[in-house]
Amino acid sequence: EIPLRLVGSEMCKETVYVLRTGIQWKALPKEYGSSSSVHRYFRKWESLGFFRKLWKKGLAEYDEMEGIAWTWQSIDGTMIKAPTAQESVGPNLLIGGKNGTKRHILVDERGVPLSIVVTGANRHDVTQVDEVLKNRIRKPRGHTKQHLCADAGYSGEKSEEIMRNHRYIPHIRPRGEEKIAIQNGCKARRWIVEVAHSWFNRFRKLLVRYEKSNSSYEALLHLAATVKFIENLLLFRDRFLYSTGAVIRQQPYFFTRQ
């Protein structure tokens, strides 16, 4: 059972502060309390799978309130520097073969994360298609038509077969073909996953990975994914209140954009 009362606690706010600023746990300002206590709570929640459960439960609430945009989804991976990581790392040729991590994500049409997988930087995107699609935190009901957009790194008969096995209609195109399709009046859709990766990198704790264990880094990713749909819900609420002429209440400071 998820201890939801922890969501509004000071410890949870301080964890989000660390996530956003990238500050070391031991360097947390004194006004936030004991840095060792904050880190101890984080590790405890991590061991309980709290952040993944929070993401899963919150995404279900988001789906009920606003609705996940299932029809058009996008998948992509991006490499992250990981100088001190000891798990899920590999040589990143873009930085001279130094340690790196690759973050693979699946997002809906609005950029809400549906799946996150962490591997070494040397793992090719196409090898993780099945893993990413199997690890979706939520799936649509019934026989919802789902299109999956990907770049040329996912091309190949095996990759497309995996997508179809997961009930997706694959759309895999190199950038040159994408430009031609857009010029012919087609709507660009795959870019949203690149925007989502950029959004994740706004959290300085995720921009460069210093967490040694894979579980700690994934916990931070799950917390960031939770913040993403909460921001979407706040925007949904504000649009609704604005349309009714109601006064918009200030957002909680630990979820506001900085």
Side-chain angles (χ1 to χ4, degrees), residues 69-128:
W70 296 110
T71 306
W72 289 95
Q73 299 171 42
S74 304
I75 186 173
D76 198 14
T78 190
M79 287 184 281
I80 306 294
K81 294 179 181 178
T84 60
Q86 297 178 354
E87 298 175 353
S88 297
V89 292
N92 185 346
L93 299 180
L94 296 179
I95 55 174
K98 296 180 181 179
N99 269 358
T101 283
K102 181 170 278 191
R103 179 179 67 225
H104 309 263
I105 63 173
L106 174 75
V107 300
D108 78 345
E109 193 172 353
R110 301 188 189 97
V112 173
L114 304 175
S115 177
I116 303 173
V117 171
V118 177
T119 67
N122 56 333
R123 300 299 302 274
H124 198 281
D125 291 344
V126 74
T127 66
Q128 300 304 309

Side-chain angles (χ1 to χ4, degrees), residues 182-199:
I182 293 170
Q183 290 172 357
N184 291 334
C186 295
K187 184 178 179 180
R189 297 183 185 277
R190 191 186 60 81
W191 60 271
I192 193 66
V193 70
E194 297 178 354
V195 173
H197 274 303
S198 178
W199 182 89

